[in-house]
Amino acid sequence: MVLRRDEHGYTCFQGMGIPVGKLSLYTALGGVRPSACLPITIDVGTNNEKLLNEEFYIGLRQRRATGQEYDELLHEFMSAVEQNYGEKVLIQFEDFANHNAFELLARYSSSHLVFNDDIQGTASVVLAGLIAALKLLGGTLADHRFLFLGAGEAGTGIAELIALEMSKKTGNPIEENRKKIWLVDSKGLIVKARKRSLQHFMKPWAHEHEPVTKLVDAVKAIIPTVLIGTSGAGRQFTKEVVEAMAVDLQNPLIMALSNPTSQAECTSEEAYTWSEGRAIFASGSPFDPFEYNGEVFVPGQANNAYIFPGFGLGLITSGAIHVHDDMLLAASEALASLVTEEHFEKGLIYPPFSNMRKISANIAAKVAAKAYELGLASHLPQRKDLVKYAESCMYNSGYRSYL
């Protein structure tokens, strides 16, 4: 079940394509039966004056519900879903505004099977790319410094999962790992001097440092090995920024994740050209292969579709009752393990989309295994070969032949 609440300026009926599209991918890529999927959009009104006065507006003609009214509506919905479909129904939150997204995830993660693709799905697919990229960069995650442009649900979600993976590998407290991760928002580098004015989900990333307002100055001050864009603002990774990344690094990792292509922080051509062909590049939107000095570079695409279909399938096949962060880490590691030497030679840090059912089955198996390990699976006993079991559970759209 994909639940969408419009909080980004669209009306409910304009946004209904989002949950429908997501569930289509659950079926096409993850093999989840379409009859088990339900797209939902919750209409809580609109603050768009033009729409409120539009004669043929078919949405709820009132200003958006907020505060207690909003919370009570969501609680009623979540209770009704569990009452009608049971505790193992997977609810995916989609396109909720930052403050609501984090609050709802925290509120219902211990009582319902919930997953936020904007926060957790994005984080998992980016972490997979980072783990794979270590083969090219060298070292461990803990050996690198990360700088984000964008401190919303995507940026902070990715940052937190990186810190969790570091803790898993090193045993260090997550607070120590967060110190290797820096975020820049519209007002500049997030530092302790700004802590009182920050939203609660941004406060863990406020480190001790003098204020820095420009991204290029943040790059020069922090000297990151990895630059990640989740700003939603196009062309923020300028020539000056990319050149600053490449000054002391043989292979700077640049991830321009904002969608659509027009909003990408930079293009693959810009990243490769301005780094003199040394950058490892991945983006949220697809870019064509690019030739530089006789060498062809194939940009990777950090698309959430790598993760959520297989992740959902793993939850379903194991009968998981809750989502745990370790399941997200398992999904990331599973995806990273599917990147081969042939892919690395092309500069790719993600496997090709050509065999997504296989990718989803492998991710589902690792997620299910982690659910059993954590005691969160209800489908007992555990199957011996979880990959084959995931494949056997996949929906096949082909018609049977009765001839």
Side-chain angles (χ1 to χ4, degrees):
M1 175 182 295
V2 173
L3 170 64
R4 184 182 190 274
R5 152 83 209 278
D6 170 43
E7 310 208 20
H8 296 282
Y10 302 100
T11 59
C12 65
F13 56 92
Q14 288 172 327
M16 192 61 188
I18 301 295
V20 171
K22 289 283 183 175
L23 290 174
S24 297
L25 292 174
Y26 266 112
T27 298
L29 307 184
V32 178
R33 286 183 299 109
S35 60
C37 300
L38 180 64
I40 295 175
T41 295
I42 293 187
D43 185 358
V44 295
T46 179
N47 291 337
N48 186 312
E49 292 290 345
K50 182 179 179 180
L51 293 175
L52 287 171
N53 296 317
E54 170 58 52
E55 180 182 359
F56 299 107
Y57 177 57
I58 65 173
L60 192 61
R61 200 180 296 273
Q62 67 175 48
R63 294 197 173 276
R64 286 182 176 177
T66 57
Q68 183 178 349
E69 182 184 7
Y70 178 88
D71 292 340
E72 289 177 351
L73 173 62
L74 266 294
H75 184 70
E76 181 179 355
F77 171 83
M78 297 296 289
S79 300
V81 168
E82 185 174 35
Q83 181 179 344
N84 281 276
Y85 300 108
E87 65 177 359
K88 289 180 285 187
V89 61
L90 171 60
I91 303 171
Q92 177 176 315
F93 295 123
E94 193 77 27
D95 281 350
F96 282 72
N98 287 337
H99 58 287
N100 288 327
F102 285 100
E103 188 174 322
L104 290 170
L105 193 58
R107 183 184 304 163
Y108 293 108
S109 60
S110 60
S111 58
H112 293 69
L113 184 64
V114 294
F115 170 71
N116 187 305
D117 191 44
D118 300 307
I119 299 173
Q120 297 167 300
T122 301
S124 188
V125 75
V126 173
L127 177 60
L130 295 174
I131 294 171
L134 293 176
K135 293 281 185 70
L136 300 172
L137 297 173
T140 67
L141 281 180
D143 296 324
H144 292 274
R145 293 176 304 281
F146 303 84
L147 181 63
F148 285 77
L149 176 63
E153 55 192 296
T156 54
I158 298 166
E160 186 70 5
L161 204 63
I162 293 172
L164 284 169
E165 178 73 4
M166 287 183 190
S167 290
K168 177 184 174 183
K169 297 298 185 184
T170 65
N172 293 334
I174 193 167
E175 293 79 11
E176 182 177 332
N177 296 328
R178 286 178 181 144
K179 294 177 182 177
K180 302 173 192 235
I181 304 170
W182 297 78
L183 278 70
V184 172
D185 66 2
S186 60
K187 296 179 181 177
L189 193 65
I190 294 178
V191 295
K192 282 191 174 180
R194 296 178 52 196
K195 199 165 186 178
R196 291 184 63 182
S197 64
L198 297 174
Q199 291 181 274
H200 67 91
F201 58 86
M202 297 164 67
K203 290 183 178 181
W205 310 103
H207 307 316
E208 194 67 58
H209 197 283
E210 62 185 26
V212 178
T213 56
K214 294 182 179 180
L215 176 61
V216 65
D217 293 332
V219 170
K220 292 175 181 177
I222 305 303
I223 316 177
T225 51
V226 180
L227 180 63
I228 301 175
T230 62
S231 63
R235 303 304 184 267
Q236 296 299 303
F237 293 172
T238 62
K239 185 173 187 286
E240 191 178 9
V241 168
V242 174
E243 287 178 343
M245 281 291 298
V247 167
D248 298 311
L249 299 174
Q250 179 60 34
N251 298 113
L253 175 53
I254 298 174
M255 305 184 81
L257 302 179
S258 294
N259 292 312
T261 305
S262 60
Q263 298 304 312
E265 283 77 11
C266 70
T267 66
S268 58
E269 178 179 347
E270 290 167 343
Y272 294 131
T273 302
W274 294 338
S275 67
E276 298 178 339
R278 291 185 285 117
I280 301 166
F281 179 82
S283 57
S285 296
F287 284 100
D288 292 330
F290 175 71
E291 183 175 344
Y292 180 82
N293 281 353
E295 186 175 357
V296 177
F297 296 89
V298 183
Q301 188 183 357
N303 193 311
N304 289 23
Y306 274 119
I307 291 291
F308 73 82
F311 190 82
L313 182 63
L315 297 175
I316 293 167
T317 56
S318 64
I321 57 174
H322 298 300
V323 171
H324 191 282
D325 286 335
D326 284 355
M327 297 177 185
L328 296 167
L329 300 181
S332 299
E333 292 166 3
L335 179 56
S337 71
L338 298 174
V339 185
T340 66
E341 288 299 327
E342 182 183 353
H343 302 144
F344 287 129
E345 288 174 4
K346 298 177 181 178
L348 286 169
I349 55 175
Y350 292 99
F353 273 112
S354 55
N355 199 353
M356 276 302 302
R357 283 278 179 116
K358 178 182 177 182
I359 292 171
S360 292
N362 278 272
I363 291 173
K366 293 296 184 182
V367 171
K370 186 58 67 173
Y372 284 108
E373 179 186 326
L374 295 170
L376 295 174
S378 63
H379 290 172
L380 302 172
Q382 178 178 344
R383 303 294 179 120
K384 289 183 179 179
D385 191 329
L386 289 171
V387 175
K388 284 187 178 179
Y389 181 59
E391 290 173 338
S392 72
C393 292
M394 286 182 168
Y395 171 79
N396 187 339
S397 61
Y399 288 99
R400 295 176 182 174
S401 175
Y402 293 97
L403 299 179

